[in-house]
Amino acid sequence: MMKGIKKWRLFALMTTLLVFLAGCGREEISTLIPAGEVAQDQFNLLILSSIVMLFVIIVVSIIFVLAIVKFRRSKMGEDMIPEQVEGSARLEFLWTAVPIVLLLVLAVPTVYSTFDLADVSTMDVQAEDGTSTHLTVNVTAALYWWEFEYPEQGIVTAQELVVPTDERVYFNLISADIKHSFWIPSVGGKLDVNPENVNTFYLTFDQQSSELEDGVFYGKCAELCGPSHALMDFKVKSVDREEFDQWVTAMQEEEPAAVEGDLAQQGEELFGADGLACISCHATSGAGGTGGVGPNLATFGDRNRVAGYLEHNEESLKNWIEDPQEYKPGNLMPEAASLNDGEALSDQELDALAAYLMGLSVEE
Amino acid sequence: MDINQKYTPQSWPDHPETATMEGKNKFIGFWLLLAAETVTFASLFATYLALKDKGPSGMEFSAAGLFELPLVFAMTMILLTSSLTSVYAMYHMKNHNFKAMQAWLGITVLLGATFLGLEIYEFNHYVHLGFGFTNSAFSSAFYVLVGTHGAHVLFGLSWFIALMLRNAKRGLNMYNAPKFYLASLYWHFIDVVWVFIFTVVYLMGVIG
Amino acid sequence: MSSIAQKKGFGATIWDFMTTVDHKKIAILYLISGGFFFLVGGIEAMLIRIQLAKAGNDFLSAGTYNEIITMHGTTMIFLAAMPILLAFMNAIMPLQIGARDVAFPFLNSLGFWLFFFGGIFLNLSWFMGGAPDAGWTNYASLALASEGKGIDFYSLGLTISGFGTLIAGINFLVTIINMRAPGMTYMRMPLFTWTTFVASALILLAFPPLTVGLFFMVFDRMFDSNFFAVEMGGNTIIWEHLFWIFGHPEVYILILPAFGIFSEIFAIFSRKRLFGYTALVFATILIGFYGFMVWAHHMFTVGLGPTANAVFALATMIIAVPTGIKIFNWLLTIWGGNISFTVPMIYAVAFIPSFVAGGVTGVMQAIAPLDYQLHDSYFIVAHFHYVIVGGVVLAILAGTHLYWPKMFGTMLSEKLGKWTFWFFFIGFHLTFFIQHFLGLMGMPRRVYTFGADQGWDLFNAISSAGAVLMAIGIIILLVNVVMTTIKNERVGNDPWGDGRTLEWAIPSPPPFYNFAQTPLVRGLDTFWIEKMEGNKKGMIFAEPLGDIHMPNNSFIPFVISLGMFIASFGALYFLDDDKPWALPVLIIGLLITFGSMLVRSLKDDLGFHITKAELLEDAKGGKTDGH
Ligand code: HEM
Ligand SMILES: [Cu+2]
Ligand SMILES: [Cu+2]
């Protein structure tokens, strides 16, 4: 009997530990491993409120356990009629006042933080030369992908956001169709992407994403937006300012680097207006404009994922091109065959497209 | 309660609408219903204010340009008067004067119908200008707010008419007195809502 | 079912229930249909958890998954939880205040049938081209973009059943205001009656905004109006406001009656008067009042601006105070009592820690900046299941055991009841506790699948396992119901032995006129007072035995609702060119509805009287039926 209990205890301990270890999640996406000032503030509020709430739970639990242990009928006797107490004004006062005090403890940082996190007044501050001192990114959410425009830099990218570390980055959010929500859990809380108005907030990225196991932070759509809502992921690369500036310069290059290799060249042709006309929806230059029907593919070769969530290799890419509906139900990209007069693409053509797209890169 | 019991103005209670348990229940229940109606109209008003003058880019209509006060003012007066005539009707109901009550209710109905006719004319006029239901968010909000009120007027009229016809032969008793009373209460409510519509939609609309 | 009913043929019983205006029979109707929808919603829940049991599962397709979560939420809130609570309100509240029926028996029946047909209509969407798929919150931009008729089923179905609920709310309010027995002052009303009162007031004021929003939705989708059409100047945030101005009070519509049930249970099974009755009453009223001022805490991330967010954050936190007051008063009620751990009491006791856990996460979410992280993540899913399952569903299960004898005259098995409890309770915490962490680990809500590379696999598997335990618990409950009904061991007036309020002073189930003589109430817990003073009858009477006036049964409520049901199909299809029959169907439906309303208002229905002789006969043991 004793032994059984001991074993059970050990088991309980082990499971608790396991839960706690696994309980923090992955650093790419967990709010419990904050990687930016905003997420850190929010994490601190989480800890503060958890402590206050734990206090409440402990008080309730003690009274609760004592009550149900002490006053069971088996102890009190079948026929015992308890005194019919009406109540106590003093106790009522106590359990009104104490919670109010506890709430005040929470209320002050809540109000402070609410205003602090909404403060975008420095967004438009300009340096001497007329450029703004902070980076602003215009985010457009569309069924089921993300476009990131850097207006000041005149560049556009999609699906993978690139940002400098250790400074405030401002975001303007607008939806191209229906409501979505922009969320990078380990860097900061979400903000809705509404169709009718631009929402603005800021985040800071305190850690370079190259230090992460997967090399990127994970971003999510956090508002139900249709069948593929679950797959409307994006990735975030945070790099130091210098690297960021290099990336911007490379993106600003109007002419994409010449395509190397026969296969890739064939792919380029297929991609072009005389081939399958993929280009009518997808731009391939980072210096292009916004508002494309499909994501800009200028940095496709540098990406961490295909379509925001599939592994980044030619296999997934070819699968995607052949049948986008299979991988993101309800998305707006036509299947390859319909662009090819109803005929499926040959393996060779798919290889060519894949080679071409994988070669699109602005990083060394 | 005995429906066949005959009353004289002397034996008729001061407040026939709440003299029976049924009457009391109906009286309170109806006020509660009006509370729900109030929330309904509040939601419609809030929506209207949020969508006022909102439309596709380049929309040609605005409240200031569209609404004309004279007609609406006349409608307001007519409806206010009908509220007054329904008060007279209830005065006679409480005095157990069935004929007079019916007469005043008849006038109320006529005034209400005139109001409704003018409203239909007004809507028709806007539609001809191109300001149809589907023109813009503004037009949808306008028609649904004012139209819901219009539907209430229609319902109120039908209610009065049904009561007058049903009881034309047998006169007042404790069973139908609360019904007349509630119908007129409803009519007052409709009137109050219209005062708000007149102020919020038309006056504030024209003033800008 | 009552012994009277059993003596009739099956068809006659059905007819009796279709035409009944007796609050106790309507309660049974609510319980059966609410229970049915609860099972439907439960099956949907199981499908959700199967799909999410492992990463990348393809048990359900993305589109189907969205339909299932939408219908799960909608069904559970509108068609299961609320109707079952309405069942208890109907069955018990009039008895608690010493009334012979509700204020408007006819409307009571109408309210039920509207709810019922609305619910059926909504669920028929599964078989008629697809269920709604924009979430139970049905946010406008997604709802407008949704193809097929699912969203229209949602709007029309909820409009109809919403009218039913509104009618029920008004009815209960008037009943409590007007029909209390002599001596039953407001501050002597049992807490379940009080919570029914406040919840009904919330229904009255919260449902109209929803109805208005649903109408906009119908107009936008079917008649090309532009309330939510952004390019035409519309605004989708209006829907969010209207929905949550309804939605937040709605959660209190659910939890307050649950609080009421638990308040009764704590007092009965501790054999002690409720501690701080006055405080409990005022806390109930305060909660109801504040319930209308916090809706935007569901919209912290919408971008309403820091001022709005801060104000709504503070307002939300304040609600925790009256909620806390309730918890402590319950604890002090059992403190010093003589606790008997019957099945209802076990549920009540288990409710306290479960609900406190849900309440504290609520306060955490009220911290707006923190909510930017928590909102629309699995943390929210955990929160509202802690309050709704840990609060409302536990109350429903407790109430089922507590009031079963009063409604049906037999006792559910305590032994099976305990089995149900343990399976359900353990399964519940297993399923939902861990979801807090999933949310914190970055898992968004309403995702049909998740990748294996995000560290969420284990917890999701655990959560699904818990759901299986809950399902087993419910199956045992069904077995319990069947066995109890077959055994049919009749019980007396006060089967729990420690009843305190009027409903326990009369037979189980009560005669259809409830009280042969209206009782005179001498204090809070009036039955307890009489018992303690040795009054064998359990009541003293406010009137001599005499004739009782009762309302007639009526088939009209059923027909009115049926008309609306038929008309809805017409409305659903009449813009489709290939369905010329739709317009006639719409018109026929409306004619049936308005026609039967007209019949109702033109035809006098004065009810009938039970004579004193019949009552005396009845008291001797013979049963009058009154027909
Ligand atoms: C102390 C009391 C409570 C507080 C402070 C509280 C607070 C909150 C807050 C702030 C949210 C919004 C979370 C978000 O989406 O970001 C929320 C969501 C929710 N709460 Fe509570 N809550 C409390 C009690 C309850 C109760 C009693 C119920 C129901 C019986 C309930 C049901 C819900 C539901 C259903 C949602 C989510 C709705 C949805 O998004 O679908 N809550 N609560
Ligand atoms: Cu989404
Ligand atoms: Cu809420």
Side-chain angles (χ1 to χ4, degrees):
Chain A
M1 181 64 199
M2 253 341 253
K3 229 173 139 198
I5 289 184
K6 259 194 196 147
K7 251 195 198 154
W8 187 85
R9 268 214 214 129
L10 195 69
F11 176 73
L13 198 73
M14 294 291 287
T15 28
T16 326
L17 218 64
L18 188 75
V19 166
F20 265 105
L21 284 181
C24 278
R26 287 194 53 155
E27 55 182 350
E28 288 88 352
I29 191 172
S30 177
T31 66
L32 299 172
I33 313 172
E37 184 193 309
V38 175
Q40 186 65 50
D41 284 355
Q42 290 161 339
F43 182 72
N44 294 346
L45 285 169
L46 176 71
I47 298 300
L48 173 70
S49 57
S50 300
I51 292 172
V52 173
M53 292 304 142
L54 214 59
F55 172 74
V56 174
I57 290 179
I58 289 171
V59 172
V60 172
S61 304
I62 292 175
I63 308 178
F64 174 74
V65 171
L66 283 180
I68 61 176
V69 171
K70 278 177 73 168
F71 302 104
R72 334 169 61 87
R73 190 153 298 177
S74 52
K75 280 200 182 158
M76 311 302 290
E78 244 349 280
D79 299 325
M80 180 272 201
I81 304 281
E83 190 194 343
Q84 305 289 308
V85 190
E86 272 194 30
S88 149
R90 210 178 314 147
L91 281 177
E92 300 293 345
F93 175 77
L94 185 71
W95 56 56
T96 309
V98 174
I100 289 181
V101 173
L102 292 182
L103 287 176
L104 279 178
V105 172
L106 295 178
V108 174
T110 298
V111 173
Y112 174 79
S113 222
T114 305
F115 282 95
D116 191 36
L117 295 185
D119 179 12
V120 289
S121 56
T122 52
M123 184 171 175
D124 300 319
V125 173
Q126 295 190 337
E128 306 255 307
D129 60 356
T131 58
S132 52
T133 47
H134 291 287
L135 177 65
T136 299
V137 183
N138 293 340
V139 178
T140 307
L143 290 168
Y144 302 102
W145 61 281
W146 300 85
E147 181 174 80
F148 305 107
E149 182 202 4
Y150 300 69
E152 187 120 352
Q153 289 73 15
I155 56 176
V156 177
T157 183
Q159 303 292 45
E160 298 200 3
L161 171 69
V162 180
V163 285
T165 50
D166 301 317
E167 60 181 83
R168 280 191 177 190
V169 180
Y170 291 92
F171 294 94
N172 288 318
L173 311 176
I174 183 91
S175 167
D177 35 55
I178 64 177
K179 185 179 174 99
H180 305 274
S181 188
F182 178 83
W183 188 27
I184 312 170
S186 49
V187 181
K190 61 190 73 63
L191 185 61
D192 288 357
V193 185
N194 297 327
E196 54 268 286
N197 69 299
V198 175
N199 271 341
T200 304
F201 79 144
Y202 71 87
L203 294 171
T204 57
F205 300 76
D206 293 347
Q207 190 185 4
Q208 297 199 14
S209 58
S210 56
E211 293 165 17
L212 303 170
E213 198 185 318
D214 201 15
V216 286
F217 289 108
Y218 295 170
K220 292 274 167 189
C221 174
E223 182 66 61
L224 181 64
C225 55
S228 287
H229 160 63
L231 308 174
M232 192 171 158
D233 293 2
F234 60 98
K235 301 288 178 278
V236 185
K237 276 190 192 135
S238 53
V239 296
D240 61 28
R241 186 73 207 191
E242 199 183 336
E243 202 179 322
F244 179 74
D245 288 337
Q246 281 170 12
W247 178 78
V248 169
T249 316
M251 284 291 282
Q252 283 166 336
E253 211 67 58
E254 297 264 339
E255 278 303 304
V259 177
E260 285 162 29
D262 287 347
L263 196 60
Q265 272 172 2
Q266 191 201 341
E268 184 177 22
E269 260 167 46
L270 274 171
F271 195 88
D274 299 330
L276 304 170
C278 312
I279 195 128
S280 60
C281 293
H282 297 283
T284 52
S285 159
T290 59
V293 181
N296 183 311
L297 299 176
T299 64
F300 192 84
D302 306 332
R303 293 238 193 113
N304 177 280
R305 299 297 164 99
V306 170
Y309 85 102
L310 298 165
E311 246 183 277
H312 191 252
N313 56 34
E314 299 207 346
E315 190 56 37
S316 339
L317 174 56
K318 288 188 284 188
N319 285 341
W320 168 261
I321 294 172
E322 267 197 291
D323 192 1
Q325 290 308 321
E326 167 78 18
Y327 296 93
K328 269 191 183 172
N331 88 87
L332 301 178
M333 171 160 158
E335 53 172 28
S338 75
L339 299 169
N340 195 28
D341 302 326
E343 235 171 273
L345 297 190
S346 70
D347 286 349
Q348 204 269 340
E349 286 171 316
L350 281 170
D351 286 340
L353 277 172
Y356 167 64
L357 290 174
M358 285 297 184
L360 293 173
S361 163
V362 297
E363 291 173 12
E364 270 88 278
Chain B
M1 163 186 59
D2 181 3
I3 189 166
N4 295 319
Q5 189 175 342
K6 291 281 174 264
Y7 289 92
T8 64
Q10 283 70 38
S11 67
W12 187 242
D14 282 346
H15 290 283
E17 70 275 9
T18 51
T20 61
M21 192 67 198
E22 284 82 358
K24 247 188 235 148
N25 284 344
K26 281 186 179 160
F27 181 77
I28 299 210
F30 200 78
W31 271 105
L32 292 172
L33 181 73
L34 291 185
E37 289 263 39
T38 306
V39 183
T40 306
F41 276 104
S43 308
L44 291 172
F45 273 111
T47 307
Y48 173 80
L49 287 176
L51 295 180
K52 183 182 167 196
D53 292 345
K54 297 273 165 33
S57 47
M59 179 178 68
E60 54 177 314
F61 298 104
S62 70
L66 188 68
F67 301 139
E68 285 156 32
L69 284 185
L71 175 71
V72 189
F73 184 72
M75 286 163 68
T76 308
M77 283 303 133
I78 291 171
L79 203 62
L80 283 177
T81 314
S82 80
S83 218
L84 188 66
T85 53
S86 79
V87 172
Y88 287 145
M90 283 313 104
Y91 170 79
H92 292 297
M93 188 274 276
K94 289 192 178 175
N95 287 337
H96 201 70
N97 185 344
F98 181 68
K99 285 233 173 69
M101 180 193 82
Q102 289 281 75
W104 280 110
L105 282 183
I107 297 174
T108 307
V109 168
L110 283 181
L111 288 169
T114 316
F115 171 88
L116 207 56
L118 288 177
E119 181 152 275
I120 292 169
Y121 166 80
E122 185 204 358
F123 280 12
N124 189 36
H125 173 67
Y126 294 149
V127 170
H128 277 280
L129 292 177
F131 187 71
F133 183 58
T134 60
N135 172 268
S136 58
F138 172 40
S139 73
S140 303
F142 168 77
Y143 284 112
V144 168
L145 170 60
V146 183
T148 305
H149 175 265
H152 278 71
V153 174
L154 181 65
F155 184 81
L157 289 178
S158 321
W159 193 4
F160 273 141
I161 294 170
L163 282 178
M164 289 165 69
L165 293 180
R166 172 67 182 91
N167 298 298
K169 288 237 177 62
R170 64 179 177 184
L172 274 172
N173 59 33
M174 292 304 273
Y175 181 70
N176 59 26
K179 297 189 179 194
F180 280 110
Y181 183 85
L182 294 186
S184 88
L185 196 57
Y186 185 75
W187 196 251
H188 290 314
F189 173 76
I190 293 172
D191 200 41
V192 172
V193 172
W194 178 261
V195 171
F196 278 94
I197 290 183
F198 179 66
T199 316
V200 172
V201 176
Y202 294 101
L203 272 184
M204 284 164 57
V206 170
I207 292 164
Chain C
M1 256 136 262
S2 76
S3 57
I4 304 170
Q6 273 170 11
K7 281 180 214 139
K8 292 184 193 157
F10 182 69
T13 308
I14 297 280
W15 177 250
D16 186 39
F17 273 89
M18 277 165 70
T19 56
T20 188
V21 295
D22 178 349
H23 70 100
K24 300 176 289 303
K25 287 186 181 158
I26 290 175
I28 292 174
L29 289 172
Y30 268 118
L31 189 68
I32 293 174
S33 19
F36 167 74
F37 286 124
F38 182 72
L39 295 182
V40 173
I43 291 170
E44 284 155 357
M46 293 312 292
L47 297 177
I48 294 173
R49 279 324 312 174
I50 293 175
Q51 167 69 8
L52 294 182
K54 64 173 207 244
N57 203 358
D58 59 0
F59 173 70
L60 297 174
S61 75
T64 313
Y65 182 86
N66 286 354
E67 291 174 328
I68 289 180
I69 54 156
T70 302
M71 287 299 285
H72 165 70
T74 313
T75 304
M76 283 302 196
I77 299 254
F78 291 95
L79 309 180
M82 224 177 357
I84 296 178
L85 292 170
L86 288 176
F88 295 138
M89 296 180 188
N90 255 311
I92 303 304
M93 181 272 287
L95 305 183
Q96 284 195 329
I97 61 173
R100 296 217 166 92
D101 205 325
V102 291
F104 306 111
F106 177 88
L107 289 184
N108 201 14
S109 158
L110 179 61
F112 168 76
W113 288 111
L114 284 172
F115 141 71
F116 179 77
F117 279 110
I120 295 290
F121 181 77
L122 179 54
N123 272 279
L124 282 178
S125 62
W126 283 118
F127 310 102
M128 302 182 68
D133 59 356
W136 84 284
T137 49
N138 200 50
Y139 274 15
S141 63
L142 178 59
L144 288 191
S146 169
E147 283 160 19
K149 300 268 181 218
I151 305 295
D152 307 319
F153 273 106
Y154 173 97
S155 315
L156 293 168
L158 288 190
T159 304
I160 300 178
S161 77
F163 279 136
T165 310
L166 184 69
I167 289 175
I170 293 181
N171 204 346
F172 290 148
L173 283 171
V174 180
T175 306
I176 295 174
I177 293 173
N178 269 357
M179 318 264 294
R180 282 166 291 126
M184 178 59 82
T185 60
Y186 281 105
M187 290 313 277
R188 284 177 183 172
M189 290 191 326
L191 222 74
F192 181 63
T193 297
W194 257 113
T195 53
T196 300
F197 187 65
V198 176
S200 301
L202 295 187
I203 289 177
L204 179 75
L205 301 176
F207 268 74
L210 175 70
T211 309
V212 168
L214 290 171
F215 263 92
F216 291 167
M217 187 60 70
V218 170
F219 286 148
D220 265 18
R221 281 181 57 97
M222 300 173 34
F223 304 104
D224 288 333
S225 65
N226 304 304
F227 291 98
F228 311 126
V230 174
E231 66 290 355
M232 298 299 281
N235 188 313
T236 61
I237 313 289
I238 292 175
W239 168 269
E240 293 184 36
H241 281 295
L242 289 174
F243 185 86
W244 287 118
I245 289 173
F246 150 78
H248 190 82
E250 168 67 17
V251 305
Y252 288 106
I253 293 169
L254 295 176
I255 201 66
L256 288 178
F259 286 172
I261 291 174
F262 285 131
S263 300
E264 303 292 316
I265 292 176
F266 284 128
I268 293 175
F269 297 101
S270 308
R271 261 191 206 158
K272 197 161 152 273
R273 180 195 153 104
L274 270 173
F275 190 89
Y277 169 84
T278 320
L280 282 168
V281 169
F282 280 104
T284 306
I285 297 172
L286 268 184
I287 292 177
F289 183 69
Y290 285 141
F292 280 100
M293 296 198 262
V294 297
W295 79 88
H297 68 212
H298 297 267
M299 299 169 65
F300 281 148
T301 65
V302 168
L304 302 178
T307 312
N309 280 3
V311 168
F312 278 99
L314 297 182
T316 304
M317 288 182 184
I318 293 176
I319 289 210
V321 177
T323 315
I325 292 178
K326 292 201 147 216
I327 300 278
F328 285 110
N329 278 303
W330 287 323
L331 286 175
L332 268 277
T333 301
I334 53 179
W335 190 274
N338 185 356
I339 309 171
S340 143
F341 284 99
T342 58
V343 170
M345 188 60 170
I346 299 180
Y347 278 112
V349 164
F351 149 80
I352 289 200
S354 311
F355 188 79
V356 168
V360 298
T361 52
V363 177
M364 291 166 75
Q365 287 155 199
I367 302 172
L370 176 54
D371 189 61
Y372 300 162
Q373 284 287 23
L374 307 179
H375 174 70
D376 264 344
S377 79
Y378 256 83
F379 193 92
I380 300 303
V381 180
H383 158 72
F384 67 74
H385 283 93
Y386 260 83
V387 281
I388 294 185
V389 181
V392 182
V393 177
L394 289 188
I396 284 175
L397 294 173
T400 305
H401 281 268
L402 177 68
Y403 291 127
W404 194 270
K406 197 45 67 184
M407 292 175 78
F408 298 102
T410 57
M411 287 284 254
L412 287 173
S413 152
E414 286 281 292
K415 200 164 139 221
L416 287 179
K418 285 181 185 168
W419 279 103
T420 298
F421 168 79
W422 285 110
F423 271 106
F424 193 84
F425 185 69
I426 295 173
F428 158 62
H429 283 284
L430 206 55
T431 308
F432 294 111
F433 186 70
I434 214 138
Q435 291 184 353
H436 293 110
F437 292 91
L438 279 173
L440 294 172
M441 286 153 61
M443 182 164 167
R445 164 184 186 197
R446 291 170 167 167
V447 290
Y448 85 95
T449 187
F450 56 93
D453 52 356
Q454 305 175 100
W456 305 332
D457 305 45
L458 175 65
F459 286 11
N460 272 301
I462 295 176
S463 184
S464 294
V468 175
L469 296 187
M470 284 202 270
I472 296 175
I474 295 298
I475 293 172
I476 298 177
L477 176 64
L478 292 179
V479 173
N480 196 348
V481 167
V482 173
M483 286 179 44
T484 305
T485 310
I486 293 175
K487 268 197 204 145
N488 197 20
E489 290 167 11
R490 315 304 299 177
V491 296
N493 294 5
D494 183 15
W496 298 106
D498 288 319
R500 309 176 69 82
T501 39
L502 273 175
E503 75 270 32
W504 305 111
I506 52 177
S508 314
F512 70 99
Y513 45 82
N514 295 351
F515 299 90
Q517 285 164 277
T518 300
L520 178 69
V521 176
R522 293 199 293 154
L524 180 67
D525 295 336
T526 143
F527 178 46
W528 178 264
I529 294 174
E530 302 299 338
K531 258 198 294 196
M532 288 298 114
E533 294 185 0
N535 178 351
K536 285 272 169 337
K537 283 191 171 152
M539 300 186 255
I540 51 177
F541 302 109
E543 59 177 15
L545 197 62
D547 291 1
I548 299 176
H549 175 247
M550 295 300 289
N552 288 325
N553 279 3
S554 172
F555 188 45
I556 293 181
F558 184 93
V559 181
I560 293 178
S561 313
L562 183 69
M564 300 266 282
F565 180 71
I566 294 171
S568 303
F569 283 106
L572 196 65
Y573 291 113
F574 92 100
L575 285 186
D576 294 8
D577 294 331
D578 59 336
K579 301 207 172 56
W581 48 263
L583 188 61
V585 168
L586 176 64
I587 293 173
I588 292 172
L590 289 178
L591 281 180
I592 295 177
T593 295
F594 285 109
S596 39
M597 279 162 74
L598 200 65
V599 171
R600 168 71 186 171
S601 56
L602 295 187
K603 215 176 116 239
D604 296 332
D605 182 2
L606 301 171
F608 64 98
H609 283 85
I610 315 167
T611 60
K612 186 172 166 185
E614 284 171 309
L615 288 173
L616 284 170
E617 182 68 17
D618 212 11
K620 275 190 240 139
K623 293 258 181 194
T624 28
D625 193 347
H627 297 282

